[in-house]
Amino acid sequence: MKETGLFPDAVAMHDGLCKDGLVQEAMKLYGLLHETGTIPKVVIYTADVDYCCKAHKSDDAKRIFRKMQTDGISPNGFSFGVLIQGLCNANELEDAIDYCIEVLEAGHSPNVTTFVGLVDGLCREKGVEEAQSAIATLRQKGFLVNDKAVIEYLNKKAPFSSSVWEVIFGKKSSEKPF
């Protein structure tokens, strides 16, 4: 399949089917790709989770994510990030925190985008104290914040509320830790 150029076409086809809401057809394609062994299963499952999240079908995204795990496919950090960001966008913040804990227990770590998105969502929906509590829990589970990377991200993707800065660094944005 790779030699004939069908590999990119298969990926594009899977992508298009999912975007058009034809998840069953995409899963049939997944079966075909699985038989030929050309695309890692984690990529297909993660794409399905991503499309469900973007279609505001977070229950389907969580179901597919769990199916990936029950099928013996270990999600990678990117897979977790796709789901966590989707849950944050859907304001399913408790589930997002649970998956953040799970990603840490699996030996991965949320990336900067995922982490900041979670903090931002928590600040908006739950307030600073809840956000601080959630981040403290993540830190207890071994999450380490790369301050420099977070500062660069916050400055590039500004504006973020002073609450986000306060939760992450213990300071308001006017007291940015440079």
Side-chain angles (χ1 to χ4, degrees):
M1 209 171 185
K2 288 180 186 177
E3 293 80 16
T4 62
L6 294 176
F7 184 79
D9 291 340
V11 173
M13 184 183 297
H14 185 271
D15 182 18
L17 289 168
C18 289
K19 285 181 180 175
D20 290 342
L22 301 171
V23 177
Q24 291 294 359
E25 294 300 317
M27 291 308 284
K28 286 179 188 174
L29 176 62
Y30 163 79
L32 177 63
L33 294 172
H34 171 63
E35 288 175 15
T36 61
T38 57
I39 296 179
K41 295 175 192 174
V42 69
V43 173
I44 301 296
Y45 274 107
T46 301
D48 290 341
V49 169
D50 187 40
Y51 297 125
C52 288
C53 289
K54 288 177 179 172
H56 308 288
K57 296 181 178 186
S58 54
D59 287 340
D60 289 341
K62 292 183 280 189
R63 181 183 51 74
I64 291 169
F65 192 85
R66 290 298 181 216
K67 180 168 176 19
M68 173 173 46
Q69 293 173 309
T70 59
D71 285 353
I73 301 160
S74 298
N76 56 30
F78 182 79
S79 302
F80 275 103
V82 165
L83 180 60
I84 293 165
Q85 289 175 41
L87 293 172
C88 288
N89 291 337
N91 289 326
E92 294 187 29
L93 300 168
E94 290 82 14
D95 285 345
I97 293 166
D98 291 343
Y99 281 101
C100 278
I101 292 169
E102 189 175 330
V103 73
L104 291 168
E105 290 171 349
H108 304 291
S109 188
N111 65 23
V112 171
T113 304
T114 302
F115 174 67
V116 171
L118 178 63
V119 172
D120 187 42
L122 287 167
C123 288
R124 281 186 285 107
E125 299 297 321
K126 304 284 186 182
V128 170
E129 286 183 23
E130 285 258 353
Q132 287 171 328
S133 175
I135 301 314
T137 299
L138 294 178
R139 286 184 170 146
Q140 288 172 345
K141 297 285 184 180
F143 179 66
L144 300 174
V145 177
N146 179 337
D147 290 348
K148 183 178 177 186
V150 172
I151 290 168
E152 287 175 12
Y153 180 82
L154 290 170
N155 285 330
K156 266 189 206 173
K157 301 293 182 180
F160 282 94
S161 73
S162 60
S163 300
V164 172
W165 287 88
E166 182 179 350
V167 168
I168 297 172
F169 301 109
K171 302 173 185 209
K172 305 260 187 218
S173 62
S174 59
E175 307 166 356
K176 291 180 184 174
F178 288 59

